[in-house]
Amino acid sequence: NELWDVERRCQSNAAVLATGSVEERKAQWQEEEERQQAFESLRTFEREDYRAGFWVRHRHVNTIAGPVLAVAPPDPAYRRVRWDTPDGDFLDLDLLDSSTSFSRGVVIVCHGVESSSGGAIVRRTAIAAVQGGFDVVALNSRTCSGEDSRTKQGYWAGGTGDLRFVIERIHQEDTTRKIFLSGELETS
């Protein structure tokens, strides 16, 4: 009975091989289910208009309410890597792997001014991306990871060279991998 049920579900997902134990077929079926869920969840990228709650309709109240009332997100279990840049400096990147067996791609999360991968918005974004089936690269801009640069080039909000370097390197490692970008909007 159990074998028939697993086989029926796997065949409906086109995920089972002709041979294998019940456990192998269950694992294959689970992997295929996660794959299907990841593809289905791509619909989460459809645009939704933001509607503030009735009590925070005023733009200034809305801006202040979030940081004041929000619960601090947990610290992700980042894995830090350091990439040397072509100009002799370095970038510290904090990595997270998808929480599913199938990654939908990689999200590069960029922080805002005076922040880092440890900032609340970056942590929330990284956690949501991982839970959504994405791998995460949290980019710490120069001097924002807690260590000074080797060169005179520091972080500046208008610079895109370091981001381009990270995107190109990720693409070189796997040319089929989808790359998404998320970051804070800086306005004045």
Side-chain angles (χ1 to χ4, degrees), residues 71 78 89 134 154 158 160:
V71 176
Y78 287 131
D89 209 344
F134 292 94
T160 59

Side-chain angles (χ1 to χ4, degrees), residues 23 58-59 75 148:
E23 290 77 23
H58 189 275
R59 64 181 180 221
D75 289 328
D148 289 337

Side-chain angles (χ1 to χ4, degrees), residues 10 13 15 24-35 37 101:
C10 289
N13 290 330
E24 289 170 334
R25 290 180 185 211
K26 279 184 181 179
Q28 291 170 344
W29 173 77
Q30 184 175 1
E31 184 176 321
E32 183 59 24
E33 284 283 309
E34 287 180 0
R35 225 179 266 269
Q37 287 174 354
S101 63

Side-chain angles (χ1 to χ4, degrees), residues 69-108:
L69 300 176
V71 176
D75 289 328
Y78 287 131
R79 185 176 72 255
R80 180 158 286 185
V81 296
R82 178 168 285 181
W83 288 355
D84 291 322
T85 60
D87 66 352
D89 209 344
F90 65 89
L91 292 172
D92 284 333
L93 307 166
D94 290 321
L95 312 178
L96 291 171
D97 295 325
S98 166
S99 63
T100 64
S101 63
F102 177 77
S103 175
R104 294 167 55 191
V106 61
V107 177
I108 301 170

Side-chain angles (χ1 to χ4, degrees), residues 118-148:
I121 293 173
V122 174
R123 293 190 331 244
R124 280 189 186 93
T125 303
I127 290 167
V130 165
Q131 290 171 346
F134 292 94
D135 295 326
V136 169
V137 173
L139 168 62
N140 288 290
S141 297
R142 295 181 194 215
T143 69
C144 295
S145 67
E147 193 169 328
D148 289 337

